Structure formats: structure tokens, C-alpha cells
Amino acid sequence: GKKVVMDCVDLKKDVIEYCSGVATRLNYEGLNFVAGDIRDFPIRRTPDLTVSLHACDIATDIVIAKGIDSESKVILSTPCCHHEMMHQLKPQGTFTDFLLEHSILKQKLADAATDALRCKVLEINGYDVTALELIDPEETPKNVLLRGIKRRTLDEARTKKLKNEYTTICKTLGIHPYLWDEYVK
């Protein structure tokens, strides 16, 4: 019973056509389906909610960046694969060497570290963040939900501390994540 204005953006034209067709058949109004790159989608208003559903690799980061740039009140993200960090991961020191000996363990480390750094980026940019289990792990291994709720005020000392933590973590892991340059420095 609520009026909704929702922009839905996806690179896959067939997905957009299918979703648009479903919305038309159900007589849903206020839904705008766009086939294209979210980076090119213009920010027209401050959204109440920005959502990323199983966006692969840095696509999750791109949606998080769009949510931050638009000052979205809430950002929800269910990350998918984490290839960026898998290819960069070269920790400085030996404390994680034992995890890198086996590909599956390296992947799990990359998954957890990527999502933890995404949480930190959201915190740096004024969001209170929680990482939650989305659904039962028996249903899907991709079951993490990152939830960021925009704070009313920023604490500059806290932000500086978070930026230092982020930078230290990235240097220790030998990585340079997509969101670092614009959303941390």
C-alpha cells in the first residue's frame, strides 16, 4: 500500500527485460528498470535504500560506492565472489602463510577479509554496520548480508582511526581494494 520509486539497474539486458515484464504483469508502478552500468546511472535523489544482490567481485563495491555517493540512508549488500582480493593477496610477514597453502582456505580468507574491509569503508563513510547471516548456510554458501545505516553525525577522531586501521590491514595483506582510493584516503 506504499508508493515506491525504485530504480533497478543491471548489466544483463535479459534480466532487466524479465523483471520489467513481471512488474508490468503485476501492475506495479514506480519501478524503473535500466540495462546498463550502475556507475553511469545518475544520482537523482537520496535513496532510502540501496541494495546489491549477489553482485560478483567488485560489482558489490561499485554499488556500495553508489550508495555512499548518493548518501543512501541504508545500504544492504549480499556479496558474491571475491576475485579481486584473491588475485592480490600477498601478506607481508608469515602470520597467514599457512592459510595460503590451500586454495580453498585462501578463498575463505579473501572472502572474509574483503567483506570486513567493505564494512570498514561503510563505517569510514558514516554508516553503522552489521554483518549478518542472510539465510541458513545449508541453502547457499553466499549467505552474508552487510547492512549499513547512515549516522546523523560523523566523529572525525573515529573516522581517522578507522582509516588508519583500513590502511594497515591493506598493507599487511598486500592488497589495494577497489574502494580504497576514493572512499578511504
Side-chain angles (χ1 to χ4, degrees):
K2 294 188 182 231
K3 273 199 162 229
V4 173
V5 176
M6 184 166 61
D7 295 317
C8 309
V9 183
D10 197 299
L11 289 171
K12 299 175 189 154
K13 189 176 180 184
D14 61 321
V15 169
I16 292 299
E17 288 172 354
Y18 173 78
C19 292
S20 182
V22 169
T24 299
R25 282 193 304 281
L26 296 174
N27 294 317
Y28 288 169
E29 295 177 5
L31 304 178
N32 176 35
F33 294 93
V34 178
D37 192 324
I38 187 73
R39 289 175 283 203
D40 299 328
F41 190 78
I43 297 172
R44 294 187 272 241
R45 62 189 173 281
T46 299
D48 292 315
L49 177 64
T50 298
V51 178
S52 163
L53 297 174
H54 297 288
C56 288
D57 199 20
I58 65 164
T60 294
D61 300 310
I62 292 166
V63 176
I64 288 172
K66 187 61 90 167
I68 291 169
D69 289 344
S70 66
E71 299 183 7
S72 184
K73 294 172 186 162
V74 177
I75 298 174
L76 299 178
S77 177
T78 57
C80 189
C81 46
H82 302 77
H83 299 299
E84 179 188 43
M85 188 177 296
M86 272 290 289
H87 298 300
Q88 293 183 24
L89 200 57
K90 291 179 186 78
Q92 308 301 310
T94 59
F95 79 99
T96 57
D97 286 353
F98 71 101
L99 290 172
L100 304 179
E101 291 175 19
H102 305 280
S103 181
I104 188 71
L105 299 178
K106 180 180 180 183
Q107 178 184 337
K108 289 180 181 290
L109 173 63
D111 289 358
T114 299
D115 289 340
L117 287 169
R118 287 172 172 153
C119 290
K120 192 121 348 235
V121 165
L122 285 165
E123 288 178 300
I124 288 166
N125 286 278
Y127 289 83
D128 289 321
V129 182
T130 308
L132 307 161
E133 185 173 80
L134 180 62
I135 60 172
D136 190 313
E138 291 180 19
E139 301 296 325
T140 178
K142 307 292 184 188
N143 67 345
V144 173
L145 170 67
L146 307 179
R147 178 182 63 200
I149 300 173
K150 188 77 170 157
R151 287 191 303 273
R152 294 191 196 281
T153 59
L154 284 176
D155 177 341
E156 288 185 34
R158 180 174 186 262
T159 300
K160 183 178 178 179
K161 177 181 174 281
L162 290 166
K163 285 181 178 184
N164 287 336
E165 288 173 5
Y166 186 95
T167 301
T168 299
I169 293 164
C170 290
K171 286 181 179 176
T172 301
L173 294 175
I175 59 169
H176 191 95
Y178 178 85
L179 293 170
W180 188 351
D181 292 331
E182 287 190 48
Y183 299 94
V184 177
K185 287 189 173 183

PDB file of all heavy atoms in Angstrom, residues 137-168:
ATOM      1  N   PRO A 137      23.122 -21.460   6.127  1.00  0.00           N
ATOM      2  CA  PRO A 137      24.260 -21.841   5.279  1.00  0.00           C
ATOM      3  C   PRO A 137      24.019 -23.112   4.461  1.00  0.00           C
ATOM      4  O   PRO A 137      24.695 -23.339   3.469  1.00  0.00           O
ATOM      5  CB  PRO A 137      25.402 -22.064   6.276  1.00  0.00           C
ATOM      6  CG  PRO A 137      24.977 -21.406   7.532  1.00  0.00           C
ATOM      7  CD  PRO A 137      23.483 -21.352   7.522  1.00  0.00           C
ATOM      8  N   GLU A 138      23.049 -23.928   4.853  1.00  0.00           N
ATOM      9  CA  GLU A 138      22.738 -25.126   4.077  1.00  0.00           C
ATOM     10  C   GLU A 138      22.087 -24.761   2.744  1.00  0.00           C
ATOM     11  O   GLU A 138      22.117 -25.546   1.798  1.00  0.00           O
ATOM     12  CB  GLU A 138      21.828 -26.058   4.878  1.00  0.00           C
ATOM     13  CG  GLU A 138      22.532 -26.682   6.070  1.00  0.00           C
ATOM     14  CD  GLU A 138      21.617 -27.600   6.864  1.00  0.00           C
ATOM     15  OE1 GLU A 138      20.581 -28.035   6.333  1.00  0.00           O
ATOM     16  OE2 GLU A 138      21.967 -27.876   8.029  1.00  0.00           O
ATOM     17  N   GLU A 139      21.484 -23.580   2.667  1.00  0.00           N
ATOM     18  CA  GLU A 139      20.806 -23.142   1.441  1.00  0.00           C
ATOM     19  C   GLU A 139      21.797 -22.632   0.402  1.00  0.00           C
ATOM     20  O   GLU A 139      21.634 -22.854  -0.783  1.00  0.00           O
ATOM     21  CB  GLU A 139      19.777 -22.049   1.755  1.00  0.00           C
ATOM     22  CG  GLU A 139      18.706 -22.465   2.727  1.00  0.00           C
ATOM     23  CD  GLU A 139      17.823 -23.577   2.186  1.00  0.00           C
ATOM     24  OE1 GLU A 139      17.551 -23.615   0.969  1.00  0.00           O
ATOM     25  OE2 GLU A 139      17.408 -24.428   2.999  1.00  0.00           O
ATOM     26  N   THR A 140      22.797 -21.866   0.830  1.00  0.00           N
ATOM     27  CA  THR A 140      23.792 -21.300  -0.079  1.00  0.00           C
ATOM     28  C   THR A 140      25.033 -20.914   0.711  1.00  0.00           C
ATOM     29  O   THR A 140      24.923 -20.449   1.836  1.00  0.00           O
ATOM     30  CB  THR A 140      23.253 -20.063  -0.833  1.00  0.00           C
ATOM     31  OG1 THR A 140      24.293 -19.537  -1.665  1.00  0.00           O
ATOM     32  CG2 THR A 140      22.802 -18.969   0.117  1.00  0.00           C
ATOM     33  N   PRO A 141      26.210 -21.075   0.124  1.00  0.00           N
ATOM     34  CA  PRO A 141      27.420 -20.633   0.822  1.00  0.00           C
ATOM     35  C   PRO A 141      27.570 -19.108   0.785  1.00  0.00           C
ATOM     36  O   PRO A 141      28.330 -18.549   1.541  1.00  0.00           O
ATOM     37  CB  PRO A 141      28.551 -21.320   0.046  1.00  0.00           C
ATOM     38  CG  PRO A 141      27.984 -21.559  -1.309  1.00  0.00           C
ATOM     39  CD  PRO A 141      26.509 -21.780  -1.116  1.00  0.00           C
ATOM     40  N   LYS A 142      26.848 -18.449  -0.094  1.00  0.00           N
ATOM     41  CA  LYS A 142      26.912 -16.984  -0.223  1.00  0.00           C
ATOM     42  C   LYS A 142      25.784 -16.385   0.606  1.00  0.00           C
ATOM     43  O   LYS A 142      24.765 -15.956   0.097  1.00  0.00           O
ATOM     44  CB  LYS A 142      26.770 -16.556  -1.692  1.00  0.00           C
ATOM     45  CG  LYS A 142      27.728 -17.244  -2.626  1.00  0.00           C
ATOM     46  CD  LYS A 142      29.153 -16.834  -2.381  1.00  0.00           C
ATOM     47  CE  LYS A 142      30.067 -17.474  -3.409  1.00  0.00           C
ATOM     48  NZ  LYS A 142      31.450 -17.285  -3.128  1.00  0.00           N
ATOM     49  N   ASN A 143      25.954 -16.370   1.923  1.00  0.00           N
ATOM     50  CA  ASN A 143      24.835 -16.012   2.789  1.00  0.00           C
ATOM     51  C   ASN A 143      25.135 -14.856   3.733  1.00  0.00           C
ATOM     52  O   ASN A 143      24.534 -14.746   4.786  1.00  0.00           O
ATOM     53  CB  ASN A 143      24.383 -17.234   3.585  1.00  0.00           C
ATOM     54  CG  ASN A 143      25.434 -17.687   4.576  1.00  0.00           C
ATOM     55  OD1 ASN A 143      26.589 -17.284   4.496  1.00  0.00           O
ATOM     56  ND2 ASN A 143      25.051 -18.505   5.523  1.00  0.00           N
ATOM     57  N   VAL A 144      26.063 -13.981   3.350  1.00  0.00           N
ATOM     58  CA  VAL A 144      26.393 -12.833   4.191  1.00  0.00           C
ATOM     59  C   VAL A 144      25.607 -11.616   3.721  1.00  0.00           C
ATOM     60  O   VAL A 144      25.477 -11.370   2.520  1.00  0.00           O
ATOM     61  CB  VAL A 144      27.911 -12.533   4.123  1.00  0.00           C
ATOM     62  CG1 VAL A 144      28.250 -11.251   4.859  1.00  0.00           C
ATOM     63  CG2 VAL A 144      28.698 -13.697   4.708  1.00  0.00           C
ATOM     64  N   LEU A 145      25.082 -10.872   4.676  1.00  0.00           N
ATOM     65  CA  LEU A 145      24.417  -9.602   4.396  1.00  0.00           C
ATOM     66  C   LEU A 145      25.173  -8.517   5.137  1.00  0.00           C
ATOM     67  O   LEU A 145      25.357  -8.601   6.349  1.00  0.00           O
ATOM     68  CB  LEU A 145      22.957  -9.625   4.871  1.00  0.00           C
ATOM     69  CG  LEU A 145      22.220  -8.279   4.842  1.00  0.00           C
ATOM     70  CD1 LEU A 145      22.018  -7.795   3.413  1.00  0.00           C
ATOM     71  CD2 LEU A 145      20.882  -8.383   5.558  1.00  0.00           C
ATOM     72  N   LEU A 146      25.638  -7.521   4.396  1.00  0.00           N
ATOM     73  CA  LEU A 146      26.262  -6.344   5.001  1.00  0.00           C
ATOM     74  C   LEU A 146      25.197  -5.258   5.066  1.00  0.00           C
ATOM     75  O   LEU A 146      24.580  -4.932   4.055  1.00  0.00           O
ATOM     76  CB  LEU A 146      27.444  -5.862   4.167  1.00  0.00           C
ATOM     77  CG  LEU A 146      28.503  -6.915   3.822  1.00  0.00           C
ATOM     78  CD1 LEU A 146      29.604  -6.290   2.976  1.00  0.00           C
ATOM     79  CD2 LEU A 146      29.066  -7.562   5.070  1.00  0.00           C
ATOM     80  N   ARG A 147      24.975  -4.717   6.274  1.00  0.00           N
ATOM     81  CA  ARG A 147      23.933  -3.694   6.464  1.00  0.00           C
ATOM     82  C   ARG A 147      24.575  -2.434   7.012  1.00  0.00           C
ATOM     83  O   ARG A 147      25.194  -2.454   8.080  1.00  0.00           O
ATOM     84  CB  ARG A 147      22.863  -4.207   7.424  1.00  0.00           C
ATOM     85  CG  ARG A 147      21.768  -3.165   7.699  1.00  0.00           C
ATOM     86  CD  ARG A 147      20.744  -3.665   8.676  1.00  0.00           C
ATOM     87  NE  ARG A 147      21.377  -3.913   9.973  1.00  0.00           N
ATOM     88  CZ  ARG A 147      20.865  -4.689  10.913  1.00  0.00           C
ATOM     89  NH1 ARG A 147      19.733  -5.323  10.718  1.00  0.00           N
ATOM     90  NH2 ARG A 147      21.476  -4.838  12.061  1.00  0.00           N
ATOM     91  N   GLY A 148      24.437  -1.350   6.263  1.00  0.00           N
ATOM     92  CA  GLY A 148      24.939  -0.052   6.708  1.00  0.00           C
ATOM     93  C   GLY A 148      23.789   0.919   6.868  1.00  0.00           C
ATOM     94  O   GLY A 148      22.981   1.079   5.955  1.00  0.00           O
ATOM     95  N   ILE A 149      23.707   1.550   8.037  1.00  0.00           N
ATOM     96  CA  ILE A 149      22.667   2.555   8.307  1.00  0.00           C
ATOM     97  C   ILE A 149      23.370   3.878   8.556  1.00  0.00           C
ATOM     98  O   ILE A 149      24.232   3.990   9.438  1.00  0.00           O
ATOM     99  CB  ILE A 149      21.795   2.145   9.516  1.00  0.00           C
ATOM    100  CG1 ILE A 149      21.123   0.798   9.221  1.00  0.00           C
ATOM    101  CG2 ILE A 149      20.769   3.243   9.834  1.00  0.00           C
ATOM    102  CD1 ILE A 149      20.376   0.200  10.399  1.00  0.00           C
ATOM    103  N   LYS A 150      23.013   4.886   7.769  1.00  0.00           N
ATOM    104  CA  LYS A 150      23.672   6.196   7.820  1.00  0.00           C
ATOM    105  C   LYS A 150      23.492   6.841   9.192  1.00  0.00           C
ATOM    106  O   LYS A 150      22.391   6.916   9.721  1.00  0.00           O
ATOM    107  CB  LYS A 150      23.090   7.105   6.729  1.00  0.00           C
ATOM    108  CG  LYS A 150      23.800   8.416   6.542  1.00  0.00           C
ATOM    109  CD  LYS A 150      25.075   8.228   5.783  1.00  0.00           C
ATOM    110  CE  LYS A 150      25.665   9.573   5.393  1.00  0.00           C
ATOM    111  NZ  LYS A 150      27.080   9.486   5.153  1.00  0.00           N
ATOM    112  N   ARG A 151      24.637   7.285   9.771  1.00  0.00           N
ATOM    113  CA  ARG A 151      24.598   8.021  11.035  1.00  0.00           C
ATOM    114  C   ARG A 151      24.267   9.480  10.759  1.00  0.00           C
ATOM    115  O   ARG A 151      24.537  10.007   9.687  1.00  0.00           O
ATOM    116  CB  ARG A 151      25.963   7.955  11.730  1.00  0.00           C
ATOM    117  CG  ARG A 151      26.287   6.624  12.337  1.00  0.00           C
ATOM    118  CD  ARG A 151      27.525   6.678  13.232  1.00  0.00           C
ATOM    119  NE  ARG A 151      28.714   7.164  12.565  1.00  0.00           N
ATOM    120  CZ  ARG A 151      29.560   6.409  11.870  1.00  0.00           C
ATOM    121  NH1 ARG A 151      29.346   5.132  11.748  1.00  0.00           N
ATOM    122  NH2 ARG A 151      30.626   6.926  11.299  1.00  0.00           N
ATOM    123  N   ARG A 152      23.718  10.135  11.742  1.00  0.00           N
ATOM    124  CA  ARG A 152      23.389  11.560  11.595  1.00  0.00           C
ATOM    125  C   ARG A 152      24.630  12.439  11.658  1.00  0.00           C
ATOM    126  O   ARG A 152      24.703  13.476  11.032  1.00  0.00           O
ATOM    127  CB  ARG A 152      22.402  11.978  12.672  1.00  0.00           C
ATOM    128  CG  ARG A 152      21.046  11.310  12.532  1.00  0.00           C
ATOM    129  CD  ARG A 152      20.032  11.972  13.462  1.00  0.00           C
ATOM    130  NE  ARG A 152      18.855  11.165  13.657  1.00  0.00           N
ATOM    131  CZ  ARG A 152      17.850  11.060  12.813  1.00  0.00           C
ATOM    132  NH1 ARG A 152      17.910  11.682  11.665  1.00  0.00           N
ATOM    133  NH2 ARG A 152      16.806  10.322  13.089  1.00  0.00           N
ATOM    134  N   THR A 153      25.613  12.024  12.451  1.00  0.00           N
ATOM    135  CA  THR A 153      26.816  12.838  12.597  1.00  0.00           C
ATOM    136  C   THR A 153      28.062  11.970  12.431  1.00  0.00           C
ATOM    137  O   THR A 153      28.033  10.769  12.676  1.00  0.00           O
ATOM    138  CB  THR A 153      26.879  13.513  13.990  1.00  0.00           C
ATOM    139  OG1 THR A 153      26.854  12.494  14.993  1.00  0.00           O
ATOM    140  CG2 THR A 153      25.718  14.468  14.193  1.00  0.00           C
ATOM    141  N   LEU A 154      29.151  12.614  12.019  1.00  0.00           N
ATOM    142  CA  LEU A 154      30.434  11.939  11.880  1.00  0.00           C
ATOM    143  C   LEU A 154      31.343  12.313  13.039  1.00  0.00           C
ATOM    144  O   LEU A 154      31.368  13.472  13.460  1.00  0.00           O
ATOM    145  CB  LEU A 154      31.119  12.340  10.570  1.00  0.00           C
ATOM    146  CG  LEU A 154      30.581  11.713   9.295  1.00  0.00           C
ATOM    147  CD1 LEU A 154      31.301  12.292   8.079  1.00  0.00           C
ATOM    148  CD2 LEU A 154      30.744  10.207   9.317  1.00  0.00           C
ATOM    149  N   ASP A 155      32.073  11.348  13.539  1.00  0.00           N
ATOM    150  CA  ASP A 155      33.060  11.560  14.582  1.00  0.00           C
ATOM    151  C   ASP A 155      34.424  11.538  13.884  1.00  0.00           C
ATOM    152  O   ASP A 155      34.892  10.483  13.459  1.00  0.00           O
ATOM    153  CB  ASP A 155      32.945  10.446  15.623  1.00  0.00           C
ATOM    154  CG  ASP A 155      33.983  10.532  16.721  1.00  0.00           C
ATOM    155  OD1 ASP A 155      35.017  11.203  16.535  1.00  0.00           O
ATOM    156  OD2 ASP A 155      33.760   9.909  17.769  1.00  0.00           O
ATOM    157  N   GLU A 156      35.047  12.714  13.739  1.00  0.00           N
ATOM    158  CA  GLU A 156      36.294  12.820  12.979  1.00  0.00           C
ATOM    159  C   GLU A 156      37.414  11.966  13.560  1.00  0.00           C
ATOM    160  O   GLU A 156      38.179  11.351  12.805  1.00  0.00           O
ATOM    161  CB  GLU A 156      36.721  14.281  12.864  1.00  0.00           C
ATOM    162  CG  GLU A 156      35.837  15.073  11.931  1.00  0.00           C
ATOM    163  CD  GLU A 156      36.319  16.498  11.723  1.00  0.00           C
ATOM    164  OE1 GLU A 156      37.549  16.725  11.723  1.00  0.00           O
ATOM    165  OE2 GLU A 156      35.461  17.366  11.558  1.00  0.00           O
ATOM    166  N   ALA A 157      37.530  11.889  14.875  1.00  0.00           N
ATOM    167  CA  ALA A 157      38.577  11.070  15.502  1.00  0.00           C
ATOM    168  C   ALA A 157      38.354   9.591  15.186  1.00  0.00           C
ATOM    169  O   ALA A 157      39.296   8.863  14.868  1.00  0.00           O
ATOM    170  CB  ALA A 157      38.607  11.296  17.008  1.00  0.00           C
ATOM    171  N   ARG A 158      37.102   9.158  15.257  1.00  0.00           N
ATOM    172  CA  ARG A 158      36.769   7.762  14.938  1.00  0.00           C
ATOM    173  C   ARG A 158      37.055   7.466  13.468  1.00  0.00           C
ATOM    174  O   ARG A 158      37.607   6.424  13.131  1.00  0.00           O
ATOM    175  CB  ARG A 158      35.296   7.495  15.253  1.00  0.00           C
ATOM    176  CG  ARG A 158      34.867   6.071  14.965  1.00  0.00           C
ATOM    177  CD  ARG A 158      33.418   5.844  15.439  1.00  0.00           C
ATOM    178  NE  ARG A 158      33.049   4.458  15.309  1.00  0.00           N
ATOM    179  CZ  ARG A 158      32.351   3.969  14.285  1.00  0.00           C
ATOM    180  NH1 ARG A 158      31.923   4.764  13.328  1.00  0.00           N
ATOM    181  NH2 ARG A 158      32.059   2.693  14.225  1.00  0.00           N
ATOM    182  N   THR A 159      36.689   8.387  12.593  1.00  0.00           N
ATOM    183  CA  THR A 159      36.931   8.214  11.165  1.00  0.00           C
ATOM    184  C   THR A 159      38.420   8.096  10.869  1.00  0.00           C
ATOM    185  O   THR A 159      38.845   7.228  10.103  1.00  0.00           O
ATOM    186  CB  THR A 159      36.308   9.375  10.359  1.00  0.00           C
ATOM    187  OG1 THR A 159      34.896   9.397  10.611  1.00  0.00           O
ATOM    188  CG2 THR A 159      36.557   9.227   8.877  1.00  0.00           C
ATOM    189  N   LYS A 160      39.225   8.929  11.505  1.00  0.00           N
ATOM    190  CA  LYS A 160      40.675   8.874  11.308  1.00  0.00           C
ATOM    191  C   LYS A 160      41.230   7.529  11.771  1.00  0.00           C
ATOM    192  O   LYS A 160      42.055   6.911  11.093  1.00  0.00           O
ATOM    193  CB  LYS A 160      41.352  10.018  12.062  1.00  0.00           C
ATOM    194  CG  LYS A 160      42.842  10.079  11.845  1.00  0.00           C
ATOM    195  CD  LYS A 160      43.458  11.261  12.571  1.00  0.00           C
ATOM    196  CE  LYS A 160      44.974  11.235  12.360  1.00  0.00           C
ATOM    197  NZ  LYS A 160      45.642  12.342  13.008  1.00  0.00           N
ATOM    198  N   LYS A 161      40.761   7.050  12.922  1.00  0.00           N
ATOM    199  CA  LYS A 161      41.197   5.750  13.456  1.00  0.00           C
ATOM    200  C   LYS A 161      40.819   4.625  12.492  1.00  0.00           C
ATOM    201  O   LYS A 161      41.634   3.741  12.207  1.00  0.00           O
ATOM    202  CB  LYS A 161      40.546   5.523  14.828  1.00  0.00           C
ATOM    203  CG  LYS A 161      40.866   4.187  15.460  1.00  0.00           C
ATOM    204  CD  LYS A 161      40.141   4.055  16.799  1.00  0.00           C
ATOM    205  CE  LYS A 161      40.298   2.706  17.424  1.00  0.00           C
ATOM    206  NZ  LYS A 161      39.428   1.684  16.863  1.00  0.00           N
ATOM    207  N   LEU A 162      39.596   4.653  11.957  1.00  0.00           N
ATOM    208  CA  LEU A 162      39.141   3.632  11.016  1.00  0.00           C
ATOM    209  C   LEU A 162      39.967   3.642   9.732  1.00  0.00           C
ATOM    210  O   LEU A 162      40.320   2.589   9.194  1.00  0.00           O
ATOM    211  CB  LEU A 162      37.655   3.832  10.684  1.00  0.00           C
ATOM    212  CG  LEU A 162      36.666   3.532  11.806  1.00  0.00           C
ATOM    213  CD1 LEU A 162      35.288   4.080  11.467  1.00  0.00           C
ATOM    214  CD2 LEU A 162      36.594   2.032  12.077  1.00  0.00           C
ATOM    215  N   LYS A 163      40.299   4.837   9.243  1.00  0.00           N
ATOM    216  CA  LYS A 163      41.126   4.949   8.035  1.00  0.00           C
ATOM    217  C   LYS A 163      42.508   4.353   8.272  1.00  0.00           C
ATOM    218  O   LYS A 163      43.048   3.650   7.417  1.00  0.00           O
ATOM    219  CB  LYS A 163      41.260   6.410   7.602  1.00  0.00           C
ATOM    220  CG  LYS A 163      40.024   6.974   6.956  1.00  0.00           C
ATOM    221  CD  LYS A 163      40.253   8.415   6.532  1.00  0.00           C
ATOM    222  CE  LYS A 163      39.040   8.983   5.825  1.00  0.00           C
ATOM    223  NZ  LYS A 163      39.278  10.341   5.315  1.00  0.00           N
ATOM    224  N   ASN A 164      43.085   4.625   9.423  1.00  0.00           N
ATOM    225  CA  ASN A 164      44.396   4.065   9.755  1.00  0.00           C
ATOM    226  C   ASN A 164      44.331   2.540   9.840  1.00  0.00           C
ATOM    227  O   ASN A 164      45.230   1.845   9.354  1.00  0.00           O
ATOM    228  CB  ASN A 164      44.931   4.652  11.059  1.00  0.00           C
ATOM    229  CG  ASN A 164      45.377   6.084  10.903  1.00  0.00           C
ATOM    230  OD1 ASN A 164      45.707   6.531   9.812  1.00  0.00           O
ATOM    231  ND2 ASN A 164      45.369   6.829  11.993  1.00  0.00           N
ATOM    232  N   GLU A 165      43.275   2.010  10.460  1.00  0.00           N
ATOM    233  CA  GLU A 165      43.098   0.561  10.554  1.00  0.00           C
ATOM    234  C   GLU A 165      42.991  -0.054   9.163  1.00  0.00           C
ATOM    235  O   GLU A 165      43.632  -1.065   8.862  1.00  0.00           O
ATOM    236  CB  GLU A 165      41.837   0.220  11.361  1.00  0.00           C
ATOM    237  CG  GLU A 165      41.952   0.489  12.837  1.00  0.00           C
ATOM    238  CD  GLU A 165      40.626   0.301  13.566  1.00  0.00           C
ATOM    239  OE1 GLU A 165      39.618  -0.138  12.937  1.00  0.00           O
ATOM    240  OE2 GLU A 165      40.574   0.591  14.771  1.00  0.00           O
ATOM    241  N   TYR A 166      42.180   0.550   8.315  1.00  0.00           N
ATOM    242  CA  TYR A 166      41.967   0.058   6.951  1.00  0.00           C
ATOM    243  C   TYR A 166      43.296   0.016   6.187  1.00  0.00           C
ATOM    244  O   TYR A 166      43.644  -0.994   5.564  1.00  0.00           O
ATOM    245  CB  TYR A 166      40.962   0.958   6.227  1.00  0.00           C
ATOM    246  CG  TYR A 166      40.561   0.465   4.860  1.00  0.00           C
ATOM    247  CD1 TYR A 166      39.412  -0.287   4.692  1.00  0.00           C
ATOM    248  CD2 TYR A 166      41.316   0.758   3.732  1.00  0.00           C
ATOM    249  CE1 TYR A 166      39.018  -0.735   3.441  1.00  0.00           C
ATOM    250  CE2 TYR A 166      40.939   0.305   2.471  1.00  0.00           C
ATOM    251  CZ  TYR A 166      39.787  -0.429   2.347  1.00  0.00           C
ATOM    252  OH  TYR A 166      39.407  -0.883   1.097  1.00  0.00           O
ATOM    253  N   THR A 167      44.028   1.106   6.253  1.00  0.00           N
ATOM    254  CA  THR A 167      45.303   1.204   5.546  1.00  0.00           C
ATOM    255  C   THR A 167      46.294   0.157   6.051  1.00  0.00           C
ATOM    256  O   THR A 167      46.968  -0.507   5.257  1.00  0.00           O
ATOM    257  CB  THR A 167      45.886   2.625   5.697  1.00  0.00           C
ATOM    258  OG1 THR A 167      44.931   3.560   5.160  1.00  0.00           O
ATOM    259  CG2 THR A 167      47.197   2.781   4.962  1.00  0.00           C
ATOM    260  N   THR A 168      46.359  -0.020   7.357  1.00  0.00           N
ATOM    261  CA  THR A 168      47.262  -1.013   7.941  1.00  0.00           C
ATOM    262  C   THR A 168      46.890  -2.423   7.490  1.00  0.00           C
ATOM    263  O   THR A 168      47.760  -3.217   7.116  1.00  0.00           O
ATOM    264  CB  THR A 168      47.240  -0.924   9.484  1.00  0.00           C
ATOM    265  OG1 THR A 168      47.673   0.382   9.865  1.00  0.00           O
ATOM    266  CG2 THR A 168      48.124  -1.979  10.117  1.00  0.00           C
TER     267      THR A 168
END
